């Protein structure tokens, strides 16, 4: 079956430092990877959509300078939160799609990375 | 732009009563995919249901929903609530074959009490 491993599950960083999270797709090809953030008491906001061999598209209020993303192949994607501050805390989630699959509309989600900023 | 609306932030029900969580959507595209996700405390969202077909009921784990394109709705229902159903429920919209992502609604917290 299709699985997405996301790590770390939890991380704590000091204000002003950076942290990186990674997603590994197993059993399918992660043609597109969407990165979301769920801030406390809020819904999932899309940060950016990354497609292999295409430019990464960031949503309004999110920038490459703050959330650089790497999507080098069909099984791996990473995102870094640079200079993390209190407002960056929350659950970060990657969701991967396989455009070539029968259920191409399905997003396979990782388990999430919960970021705490001190 | 595309959007998903979940009007209830919190629904509190007594165990055994029927569940209905509302979801409506807006999109200019004629073939959206609609999803329901369930998120338990400190967990990531898990796919509960999805549908692409107009007026066809889809079921999973006792929950069901029917996509009605005429009213742009995809309400989640269950005949009898259980205590274990207490969780956050998110409705999401995806546009198949457009290269876009899933857009989530604001979520509805379902609290089932004895």
């Amino acid at each position: 079956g299709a699985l997405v491993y996301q790590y770390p599950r939890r991380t704590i960083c000091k204000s002003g430092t950076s942290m990186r999270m990674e997603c590994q797709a197993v059993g399918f090809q992660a043609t597109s990877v969407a990165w979301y953030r769920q801030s406390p008491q809020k819904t999932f906001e899309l940060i950016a959509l990354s497609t292999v061999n295409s430019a990464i598209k960031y949503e309004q209020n999110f920038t490459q300078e703050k959330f650089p993303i790497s999507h080098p192949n069909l099984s791996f994607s990473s995102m870094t939160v640079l200079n993390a501050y209190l407002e960056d805390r929350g659950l970060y989630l990657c969701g991967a799609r396989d455009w070539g699959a029968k259920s191409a509309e399905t997003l396979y989600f990782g388990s999430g990375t919960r970021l705490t900023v001190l | 732009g595309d959007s998903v609306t979940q009007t209830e932030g919190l629904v509190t029900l007594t165990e055994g009563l029927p569940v209905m969580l509302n979801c409506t959507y807006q999109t200019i595209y004629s073939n959206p995919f609609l999803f329901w996700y369930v998120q338990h405390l400190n967990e990531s969202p898990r796919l509960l249901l999805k549908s692409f077909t107009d007026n066809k009921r889809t079921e999973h784990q006792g929950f069901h929903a029917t996509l009605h394109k005429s009213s742009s709705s995809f309400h989640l229902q269950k005949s009898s609530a259980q205590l274990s159903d207490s969780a956050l429920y998110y409705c999401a919209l995806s546009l198949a074959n457009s290269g876009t992502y899933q857009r989530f609604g604001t979520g509805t917290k379902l609290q089932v009490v004895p």
Side-chain angles (χ1 to χ4, degrees):
Chain A
L3 288 171
V4 174
Y5 292 104
Q6 184 173 351
Y7 37 87
R9 290 291 299 270
R10 295 176 182 276
T11 186
I12 300 172
C13 67
K14 288 185 179 179
S15 184
T17 64
S18 302
M19 66 79 53
R20 172 182 153 118
M21 56 196 82
E22 300 179 346
C23 280
Q24 183 89 33
V26 176
F28 72 106
Q29 295 186 325
T31 317
S32 293
V33 176
W35 285 93
Y36 292 87
R37 179 174 72 189
Q38 185 185 38
S39 300
Q41 310 301 322
K42 291 187 177 179
T43 190
F44 292 91
E45 291 180 280
L46 181 72
I47 296 170
L49 181 66
S50 169
T51 302
V52 170
N53 298 325
S54 291
I56 298 169
K57 187 178 175 186
Y58 285 84
E59 285 290 285
Q60 198 173 13
N61 301 325
F62 296 97
T63 65
Q64 183 180 5
E65 290 70 32
K66 173 73 175 176
F67 299 97
I69 289 170
S70 173
H71 189 181
N73 55 53
L74 291 170
S75 63
F76 181 83
S77 179
S78 67
M79 185 178 75
T80 302
V81 181
L82 293 175
N83 299 317
Y85 288 99
L86 195 61
E87 58 265 26
D88 294 320
R89 72 191 194 282
L91 180 69
Y92 289 81
L93 206 59
C94 67
R97 286 176 70 181
D98 182 353
W99 287 22
K102 187 178 176 183
S103 296
E105 74 288 352
T106 298
L107 266 183
Y108 297 101
F109 286 103
S111 52
T113 297
R114 190 165 295 281
L115 173 62
T116 301
V117 182
L118 301 177
Chain B
D2 306 314
S3 65
V4 178
T5 301
Q6 292 179 251
T7 51
E8 309 113 336
L10 171 66
V11 171
T12 302
L13 283 175
T14 302
E15 189 179 13
L17 290 181
V19 178
M20 179 154 164
L21 305 184
N22 291 320
C23 173
T24 56
Y25 64 90
Q26 275 191 312
T27 178
I28 61 171
Y29 297 97
S30 57
N31 294 315
F33 269 98
L34 272 295
F35 303 79
W36 274 101
Y37 289 89
V38 57
Q39 184 185 27
H40 291 276
L41 191 63
N42 295 323
E43 294 183 6
S44 60
R46 176 175 58 84
L47 179 66
L48 186 58
L49 290 171
K50 64 179 181 181
S51 183
F52 175 74
T53 308
D54 198 12
N55 298 318
K56 183 180 177 184
R57 174 173 162 143
T58 182
E59 298 188 37
H60 185 62
Q61 295 185 338
F63 288 90
H64 63 91
T66 303
L67 175 59
H68 291 297
K69 291 185 181 180
S70 59
S71 57
S72 299
S73 67
F74 190 57
H75 306 318
L76 182 67
Q77 299 182 67
K78 188 178 184 185
S79 58
S80 175
Q82 296 178 296
L83 294 175
S84 58
D85 293 330
S86 297
L88 273 165
Y89 291 82
Y90 290 95
C91 184
L93 166 72
S94 176
L95 306 173
N97 303 321
S98 68
T100 56
Y101 50 89
Q102 289 183 14
R103 186 177 291 281
F104 286 82
T106 49
T108 298
K109 185 175 182 179
L110 176 64
Q111 255 180 358
V112 182
V113 297

